[in-house]
């Protein structure tokens, strides 16, 4: 595995980091707890020492699964990354969207990062994860109802108390990132990035490169689209958020699969899967520090971790970039 420094911090994370959203089941059409635990442990055995989760994933379930998976692993060998600022148990802040929990009960999700809420959420996350500190604590989405400095004063207090090591953000634009950085040093920004979704390269990634902020790329496989296994007639389980997503419309699937067919010979040549080729390309992209990758079971987790073994020359990266351009991505 390769390990990369996060901004100006002393924190190093595995270039392939385990993303535990799907492990929580919520918005992915269910989860198998034991398989999720095995997936995390199998990744760890191959050097995936960093795990990214959030309270909202399964309304606490993902964090609890992570806690179970790591309970016998020495804490100093892990980097635990979680979030705050999305409440399903408090009607305050911006209403983000309406959803259903894993039992099918209606819930309203609010973006809220008031000071008292940040402190409360941290305590809950520490309990669920079974740890006394979080390596990287990130706001999940911007909250327009709370001043940014108020939110990050709370994070600064948690750092002083030793409950959090470093502060990060997710889904922040450059202005928001600069504002947060006035209160506490922000070491990273977790943003959506994939071969077919590269809008953040216009402003956010260049800012992060210039100011030494790590970029944690989420959905690098575009929620499974870039595996090449999604067909036009693919059936999504009830509760799977991908149903109706523009990336999963028939014309998008066809266009993406045609592109993947053109780069597949390169994957074959490397004795790698398409997913592994995509992940290696992602972490070679300028400014991208970490790729956050989900896995529902041990096999997927092992495959993700082994993407690190794929080596790409500059000519091969250029070939992929040219094919992306030809496909109109």
């Amino acid at each position: 595995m390769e390990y990369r420094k996060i901004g100006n911090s002393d924190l190093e994370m595995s270039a392939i980091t385990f993303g535990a959203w799907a492990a929580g089941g919520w918005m992915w059409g269910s989860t198998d707890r034991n398989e999720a635990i095995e997936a995390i442990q199998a990744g760890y055995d191959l050097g995936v020492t960093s795990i990214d989760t959030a309270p909202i994933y399964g309304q606490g379930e993902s964090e609890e699964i992570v806690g179970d998976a790591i309970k016998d692993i020495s804490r100093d060998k892990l980097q635990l990354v979680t979030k705050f600022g999305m409440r399903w148990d408090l009607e305050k802040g911006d209403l983000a969207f309406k959803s259903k929990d894993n039992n099918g009960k209606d819930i309203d999700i609010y973006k809220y990062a008031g000071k008292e809420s940040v402190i409360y959420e941290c305590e809950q996350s520490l309990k669920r994860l079974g740890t006394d500190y979080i390596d990287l604590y990130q706001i999940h989405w911007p909250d327009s109802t709370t001043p940014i400095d108020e939110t990050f004063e709370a994070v600064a207090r948690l750092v002083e108390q030793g409950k959090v090591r470093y502060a990060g953000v997710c889904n922040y634009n450059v202005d928001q990132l600069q504002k947060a950085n006035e209160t506490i040093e922000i070491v990273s920004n977790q943003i959506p990035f994939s071969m077919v979704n590269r809008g953040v390269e216009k402003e956010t990634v260049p800012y992060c490169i210039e100011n030494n902020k790590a970029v944690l790329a989420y959905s690098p496989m575009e929620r499974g689209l870039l595996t090449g296994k999604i067909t036009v007639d693919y059936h999504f389980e009830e509760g799977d958020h991908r149903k109706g997503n523009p990336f999963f419309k028939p014309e998008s699937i066809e266009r993406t699969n045609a592109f993947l067919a053109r780069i597949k010979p390169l994957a074959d040549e490397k004795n790698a899967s398409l997913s592994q080729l995509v992940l290696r390309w992602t972490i070679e992209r300028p400014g991208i520090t970490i790729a956050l990758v989900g896995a529902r079971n041990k096999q997927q987790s092992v495959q993700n971790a082994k993407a690190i073994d794929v080596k790409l020359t500059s000519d091969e990266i250029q070939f992929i970039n040219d094919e992306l351009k030809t496909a109109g991505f």
Side-chain angles (χ1 to χ4, degrees):
M1 185 51 61
E2 292 172 20
Y3 300 90
R4 296 182 173 180
K5 205 165 153 50
I6 304 303
N8 290 319
S9 75
D10 291 333
L11 179 63
E12 286 194 348
M13 289 174 61
S14 47
I16 305 291
T17 285
F18 191 97
W21 177 13
W26 177 68
M27 294 179 75
W28 286 90
S30 80
T31 190
D32 181 305
R33 192 183 187 94
N34 290 334
E35 284 201 345
I37 287 171
E38 282 181 4
I40 292 167
Q41 292 171 340
Y44 176 80
D45 289 342
L46 292 172
V48 179
T49 57
S50 309
I51 305 162
D52 174 87
T53 181
I56 193 63
Y57 301 159
Q59 294 71 60
E61 191 157 349
S62 174
E63 287 187 325
E64 286 173 0
I65 286 170
V66 171
D68 277 354
I70 63 165
K71 63 179 188 288
D72 296 325
I73 300 171
S74 176
R75 180 64 184 86
D76 62 356
K77 302 257 194 315
L78 292 161
Q79 301 82 48
L80 293 182
V81 181
T82 193
K83 308 179 188 80
F84 63 89
M86 289 195 90
R87 299 290 299 266
W88 66 94
D89 52 349
L90 181 73
E91 293 182 13
K92 226 168 175 183
D94 293 316
L95 176 62
F97 56 95
K98 293 177 175 292
S99 184
K100 290 183 184 292
D101 67 14
N102 284 345
N103 298 315
K105 182 182 158 215
D106 289 331
I107 50 173
D108 292 341
I109 314 293
Y110 286 84
K111 297 176 191 169
Y112 180 60
K115 192 179 277 191
E116 77 297 337
S117 184
V118 178
I119 303 291
Y120 169 79
E121 283 203 74
C122 183
E123 295 299 338
Q124 300 308 303
S125 289
L126 290 169
K127 281 180 198 161
R128 287 190 288 256
L129 290 165
T131 185
D132 54 6
Y133 70 94
I134 293 158
D135 292 283
L136 180 61
Y137 202 39
Q138 314 159 104
I139 185 167
H140 205 149
W141 283 93
D143 160 27
S144 72
T145 69
T146 306
I148 287 175
D149 57 354
E150 177 189 324
T151 296
F152 286 96
E153 278 165 14
V155 178
R157 187 194 300 176
L158 292 167
V159 171
E160 283 166 18
Q161 292 171 345
K163 292 173 182 174
V164 166
R165 288 182 66 202
Y166 296 106
V169 297
C170 305
N171 303 299
Y172 261 37
N173 62 29
V174 170
D175 289 345
Q176 291 161 334
L177 199 44
Q178 286 174 318
K179 181 69 180 159
N181 208 65
E182 288 171 12
T183 302
I184 187 173
E185 183 171 12
I186 303 297
V187 299
S188 61
N189 191 6
Q190 183 177 148
I191 44 182
F193 177 85
S194 74
M195 282 181 164
V196 297
N197 181 16
R198 305 202 305 277
V200 291
E201 288 188 325
K202 287 190 184 81
E203 289 180 14
T204 311
V205 172
Y207 172 84
C208 289
I209 292 172
E210 195 178 329
N211 293 277
N212 197 19
K213 310 289 182 199
V215 173
L216 280 52
Y218 74 79
S219 298
M221 298 303 304
E222 206 49 64
R223 298 169 169 84
L225 179 67
L226 291 167
T227 60
K229 294 173 183 171
I230 305 288
T231 53
V232 172
D233 57 353
Y234 190 89
H235 173 71
F236 293 104
E237 296 293 328
E238 196 55 46
D240 191 318
H241 73 287
R242 294 175 293 181
K243 202 174 185 174
N245 181 300
F247 279 111
F248 292 89
K249 288 191 167 159
E251 59 274 21
S252 171
I253 293 171
E254 281 179 0
R255 182 174 157 217
T256 305
N257 285 346
F259 156 72
L260 291 171
R262 289 195 295 275
I263 66 166
K264 190 174 186 304
L266 178 58
D268 294 342
E269 193 185 305
K270 304 275 178 192
N271 200 22
S273 67
L274 267 173
S275 300
Q276 289 169 331
L277 184 67
V278 170
L279 289 175
R280 184 77 232 194
W281 176 90
T282 302
I283 57 172
E284 292 292 343
R285 196 72 179 162
I288 303 299
T289 317
I290 301 295
L292 296 164
V293 203
R296 305 292 290 269
N297 55 50
K298 182 178 178 178
Q299 291 76 13
Q300 289 175 2
S301 189
V302 166
Q303 187 185 55
N304 292 342
K306 288 187 172 176
I308 209 74
D309 299 331
V310 178
K311 302 299 178 216
L312 292 174
T313 66
S314 54
D315 286 348
E316 288 165 342
I317 291 169
Q318 191 54 52
F319 161 72
I320 295 171
N321 293 345
D322 291 343
E323 290 296 345
L324 279 169
K325 199 171 178 182
T326 301
F329 292 120

